Amino acid sequence: MRVGILTGGGDCPGLNAVIRAVTRKGIVHYGFDILGIKNGWLGLIEGKIFPLDLSSISGILPRGGTILGTSRTNPFMVEDGIGRIFSQVEKFELDAIVAIGGEDTLGVAKKLHEKGLRCVGVPKTIDNDLAGTDYTFGFDTAVSIVTEALDRLHTTAEAHHRVMVVEVMGRHAGWIAIEGGLAGGADIILIPEFPFDMGEICGQILKRRERGKLFSIVVVAEGAKPKDANLIIQSSETDSFGHVRLGGIGNIISREIEKCTGIETRVTVLGYIQRGGSPTAFDRILATRFGVAAIDLVKEEKFGFMVGLRCNHVVPVPLEEALAEPKTVDSELYAIAKVFSG
Ligand code: F6P
């Protein structure tokens, strides 16, 4: 069998571990030809496809990013994108595609599968917001980075008696904010799922001061919004999947806190640091398990599925089910975060 593999959407630590596992098991155990597709769906449209061998994957396990490159290309928005994909599949004699990506990339995989392309998905989202899997690789790394940043911000916040606002990733779901915030001992955690009230936040910070705690840490997900306002965006320009660029909520909250409490407040935007660099051991292992399971699905010719982690077992999940709705933070976990605020 000739199997193409691509990575689409935002990168995250662990992508190379998946590529390594798919390639290794595909070549050594199944005798497949594995072909790398450059830059997500764009490379399949343009025919940027090259053979991967064991030397191409040597040493990539700990490396962040993706050796294949990525893009946010939506082939359904490209003129004759789908026709060109099917021509390239024929030209390169691809029997199956392993698509590693989030809701956008896997959404394309699902639609292409419905049109007859034999696709298997591997879930990837730093935000951990894909249904059908308890965790996605990269998320644990991001949470570790946020935790370390909060530990560092604690000492400087304490020294200056300041409020520190920390903006983290999380477009529709606040998983990074809530898990990073809990692990790093944040006082207040603001996430997209539960719109916040500025007056309440200021009240909680002032109450802590009265109790003698002279600094506070506020973690805010980029997609969090006040009860009575819209999302804060950096640019209204959308990508080919219709997403606007978020960012800026940290600065707004920081200004508001300073205004309503009179306490010196600073903001740190962690940004792409959360997505860069080496994966944690957990993410390397999860990505490796996903890669091995994905090529097994190809071998079994079980297309239209992605691999997912459920109760610590890697299982096939229909793409349709995984993409039905995002996985958001539930009120049970949010209630735990609330124990530590106010
Ligand atoms: O979807 C994952 C994510 O990291 C979001 O948290 C963030 O809003 C977005 O990607 C950033 O996208 P880009 O890499 O296109 O700037």
Side-chain angles (χ1 to χ4, degrees):
M1 239 199 242
R2 285 169 64 79
V3 183
I5 177 166
L6 62 83
T7 50
D11 74 327
C12 77
L15 286 168
N16 285 324
V18 180
I19 297 166
R20 171 177 173 267
V22 166
T23 307
R24 188 172 173 85
K25 186 150 191 196
I27 293 175
V28 176
H29 291 252
Y30 295 137
F32 291 167
D33 290 327
I34 307 290
L35 292 100
I37 300 165
K38 284 272 181 196
N39 307 326
W41 296 116
L42 183 64
L44 194 50
I45 294 171
E46 294 177 341
K48 294 207 170 123
I49 300 169
F50 62 99
L52 288 173
D53 57 23
L54 295 181
S55 71
S56 345
I57 53 161
S58 168
I60 68 170
L61 173 65
R63 268 171 61 189
T66 157
I67 59 163
L68 298 176
T70 185
S71 74
R72 291 195 185 274
T73 304
N74 181 351
F76 288 90
M77 301 296 278
V78 174
E79 207 188 323
D80 195 28
I82 304 310
R84 288 164 72 188
I85 283 184
F86 277 95
S87 315
Q88 301 294 358
V89 166
E90 204 179 310
K91 180 174 160 197
F92 285 89
E93 298 175 356
L94 296 177
D95 299 299
I97 302 289
V98 174
I100 313 170
E103 54 164 335
D104 299 330
T105 304
L106 296 185
V108 171
K110 175 180 162 282
K111 286 202 227 160
L112 289 175
H113 173 253
E114 285 158 4
K115 289 184 181 296
L117 192 68
R118 294 156 37 116
C119 291
V120 159
V122 176
K124 176 263 0 159
T125 147
I126 197 89
D127 292 352
N128 196 37
D129 58 354
L130 255 179
T133 184
D134 296 343
Y135 282 101
T136 43
F137 57 87
F139 171 68
D140 182 66
T141 307
V143 169
S144 305
I145 291 166
V146 171
T147 306
E148 198 203 328
L150 295 187
D151 287 350
R152 290 177 183 280
L153 289 167
H154 260 93
T155 61
T156 171
E158 188 171 17
H160 288 266
H161 320 301
R162 283 174 173 158
V163 176
M164 285 289 182
V165 175
V166 188
E167 183 181 306
V168 302
M169 283 184 168
R171 208 196 275 267
H172 312 293
W175 291 105
I176 296 180
I178 202 144
E179 294 212 2
L182 279 170
D187 300 301
I188 295 171
I189 301 172
L190 308 174
I191 58 175
E193 293 85 342
F194 299 90
F196 59 86
D197 179 85
M198 224 34 248
E200 199 182 307
I201 294 169
C202 293
Q204 286 168 347
I205 291 170
L206 287 170
K207 207 160 110 195
R208 295 177 88 86
R209 291 260 156 170
E210 279 161 24
R211 286 207 308 258
K213 186 168 179 201
L214 300 182
F215 69 96
S216 297
I217 306 283
V218 180
V219 175
V220 57
E222 61 185 349
K225 54 178 192 296
K227 273 182 183 148
D228 50 1
N230 292 326
L231 269 182
I232 307 303
I233 56 177
Q234 270 191 51
S235 151
S236 54
E237 223 175 87
T238 54
D239 65 20
S240 69
F241 288 96
H243 303 301
V244 290
R245 182 133 36 101
L246 298 180
I249 184 74
N251 274 304
I252 292 175
I253 290 178
S254 160
R255 276 200 301 274
E256 288 295 318
I257 291 177
E258 202 164 65
K259 202 158 78 188
C260 71
T261 63
I263 303 167
E264 208 176 17
T265 304
R266 295 286 189 269
V267 62
T268 302
V269 179
L270 290 183
Y272 296 92
I273 286 173
Q274 295 161 93
R275 263 176 30 188
S278 230
T280 58
F282 178 89
D283 283 337
R284 293 179 200 195
I285 295 164
L286 181 60
T288 300
R289 291 176 73 190
F290 277 177
V292 165
I295 199 71
D296 287 346
L297 287 188
V298 172
K299 174 72 180 163
E300 291 160 24
E301 308 208 359
K302 204 167 166 68
F303 300 111
F305 285 77
M306 70 165 206
V307 295
L309 184 76
R310 282 181 166 163
C311 301
N312 206 24
H313 291 286
V314 178
V315 295
V317 180
L319 281 172
E320 196 167 349
E321 185 185 322
L323 296 166
E325 53 182 43
K327 183 182 67 188
T328 50
V329 174
D330 51 83
S331 47
E332 198 183 318
L333 190 57
Y334 187 61
I336 294 177
K338 284 286 209 186
V339 170
F340 300 93
S341 54

Short mmCIF file of all heavy atoms in Angstrom, two decimals, residues 10 72 125-127 169-171 222 239 245-246 272 275, ligand 1:
data_model
loop_
_atom_site.label_atom_id
_atom_site.label_comp_id
_atom_site.label_asym_id
_atom_site.label_seq_id
_atom_site.Cartn_x
_atom_site.Cartn_y
_atom_site.Cartn_z
N GLY A 10 -2.70 24.56 13.03
CA GLY A 10 -1.62 25.03 13.89
C GLY A 10 -0.74 23.86 14.34
O GLY A 10 -1.25 22.76 14.55
N ARG A 72 -2.98 26.27 6.93
CA ARG A 72 -4.42 26.26 7.23
C ARG A 72 -5.23 26.30 5.94
O ARG A 72 -6.25 26.96 5.86
CB ARG A 72 -4.76 27.46 8.13
CG ARG A 72 -4.19 27.37 9.54
CD ARG A 72 -4.86 28.37 10.46
NE ARG A 72 -4.26 28.40 11.78
CZ ARG A 72 -4.61 27.59 12.78
NH1 ARG A 72 -5.53 26.67 12.57
NH2 ARG A 72 -4.03 27.70 13.95
N THR A 125 -4.83 19.00 18.52
CA THR A 125 -5.19 20.37 18.86
C THR A 125 -4.54 20.72 20.18
O THR A 125 -4.73 20.01 21.17
CB THR A 125 -6.72 20.59 18.96
OG1 THR A 125 -6.97 21.58 19.97
CG2 THR A 125 -7.47 19.35 19.38
N ILE A 126 -3.78 21.79 20.17
CA ILE A 126 -3.13 22.23 21.40
C ILE A 126 -4.21 22.60 22.43
O ILE A 126 -4.03 22.46 23.62
CB ILE A 126 -2.17 23.43 21.11
CG1 ILE A 126 -1.17 23.63 22.24
CG2 ILE A 126 -2.92 24.73 20.87
CD1 ILE A 126 0.08 22.87 22.09
N ASP A 127 -5.37 23.05 21.92
CA ASP A 127 -6.45 23.49 22.82
C ASP A 127 -7.18 22.32 23.49
O ASP A 127 -7.97 22.54 24.39
CB ASP A 127 -7.49 24.31 22.02
CG ASP A 127 -6.93 25.65 21.54
OD1 ASP A 127 -5.82 26.01 21.94
OD2 ASP A 127 -7.63 26.32 20.75
N MET A 169 -3.54 30.31 25.34
CA MET A 169 -4.33 29.88 24.20
C MET A 169 -5.63 29.21 24.63
O MET A 169 -5.73 28.74 25.78
CB MET A 169 -3.52 28.94 23.31
CG MET A 169 -2.53 29.69 22.47
SD MET A 169 -1.65 28.63 21.34
CE MET A 169 -0.88 29.89 20.31
N GLY A 170 -6.55 29.14 23.71
CA GLY A 170 -7.86 28.53 24.00
C GLY A 170 -8.93 29.32 23.30
O GLY A 170 -9.43 30.30 23.84
N ARG A 171 -9.21 28.89 22.09
CA ARG A 171 -10.13 29.64 21.24
C ARG A 171 -11.59 29.45 21.67
O ARG A 171 -12.27 30.43 21.96
CB ARG A 171 -9.95 29.12 19.82
CG ARG A 171 -10.25 30.10 18.73
CD ARG A 171 -10.41 29.35 17.44
NE ARG A 171 -9.17 29.08 16.74
CZ ARG A 171 -8.66 29.87 15.81
NH1 ARG A 171 -9.26 31.00 15.52
NH2 ARG A 171 -7.57 29.52 15.17
N GLU A 222 -7.56 33.12 25.65
CA GLU A 222 -7.74 34.15 24.63
C GLU A 222 -9.19 34.28 24.16
O GLU A 222 -9.62 35.36 23.73
CB GLU A 222 -6.84 33.86 23.42
CG GLU A 222 -7.16 32.53 22.77
CD GLU A 222 -6.22 32.11 21.65
OE1 GLU A 222 -5.41 32.91 21.19
OE2 GLU A 222 -6.34 30.94 21.23
N ASP A 239 -9.30 33.23 8.37
CA ASP A 239 -8.54 32.27 7.56
C ASP A 239 -9.52 31.48 6.70
O ASP A 239 -10.74 31.75 6.73
CB ASP A 239 -7.65 31.37 8.44
CG ASP A 239 -8.46 30.47 9.37
OD1 ASP A 239 -9.66 30.24 9.09
OD2 ASP A 239 -7.91 29.98 10.36
N ARG A 245 -8.51 36.08 14.14
CA ARG A 245 -7.35 35.94 15.03
C ARG A 245 -7.70 36.55 16.38
O ARG A 245 -8.04 37.73 16.49
CB ARG A 245 -6.13 36.63 14.41
CG ARG A 245 -4.90 36.48 15.24
CD ARG A 245 -3.64 36.05 14.48
NE ARG A 245 -3.49 36.57 13.15
CZ ARG A 245 -2.69 37.60 12.84
NH1 ARG A 245 -2.01 38.24 13.77
NH2 ARG A 245 -2.55 37.99 11.60
N LEU A 246 -7.64 35.72 17.43
CA LEU A 246 -7.96 36.19 18.78
C LEU A 246 -6.72 36.80 19.44
O LEU A 246 -5.61 36.67 18.95
CB LEU A 246 -8.49 35.04 19.63
CG LEU A 246 -9.78 34.36 19.17
CD1 LEU A 246 -10.16 33.25 20.12
CD2 LEU A 246 -10.90 35.38 19.07
N TYR A 272 2.79 31.92 21.32
CA TYR A 272 3.26 30.72 20.60
C TYR A 272 4.30 29.92 21.37
O TYR A 272 4.63 28.81 20.97
CB TYR A 272 3.77 31.12 19.22
CG TYR A 272 2.64 31.67 18.39
CD1 TYR A 272 2.36 33.03 18.36
CD2 TYR A 272 1.78 30.81 17.72
CE1 TYR A 272 1.28 33.52 17.66
CE2 TYR A 272 0.68 31.28 17.01
CZ TYR A 272 0.44 32.65 16.99
OH TYR A 272 -0.65 33.12 16.31
N ARG A 275 3.17 26.57 22.09
CA ARG A 275 3.09 25.57 21.02
C ARG A 275 4.45 25.10 20.52
O ARG A 275 4.53 24.14 19.77
CB ARG A 275 2.34 26.18 19.83
CG ARG A 275 0.92 25.82 19.81
CD ARG A 275 0.09 26.44 18.74
NE ARG A 275 0.69 26.79 17.48
CZ ARG A 275 0.05 27.48 16.53
NH1 ARG A 275 -1.19 27.89 16.74
NH2 ARG A 275 0.63 27.77 15.42
O1 F6P B 1 -6.22 26.31 17.32
C1 F6P B 1 -5.06 26.30 18.06
C2 F6P B 1 -4.52 27.69 18.25
O2 F6P B 1 -3.26 27.58 18.87
C3 F6P B 1 -5.44 28.59 19.04
O3 F6P B 1 -5.33 28.45 20.42
C4 F6P B 1 -5.01 29.96 18.54
O4 F6P B 1 -6.07 30.86 18.61
C5 F6P B 1 -4.68 29.68 17.12
O5 F6P B 1 -4.34 28.34 17.02
C6 F6P B 1 -3.58 30.51 16.54
O6 F6P B 1 -3.55 30.31 15.18
P1 F6P B 1 -2.37 30.71 14.20
O7 F6P B 1 -1.27 29.71 14.38
O8 F6P B 1 -2.98 30.60 12.84
O9 F6P B 1 -1.96 32.09 14.56
#
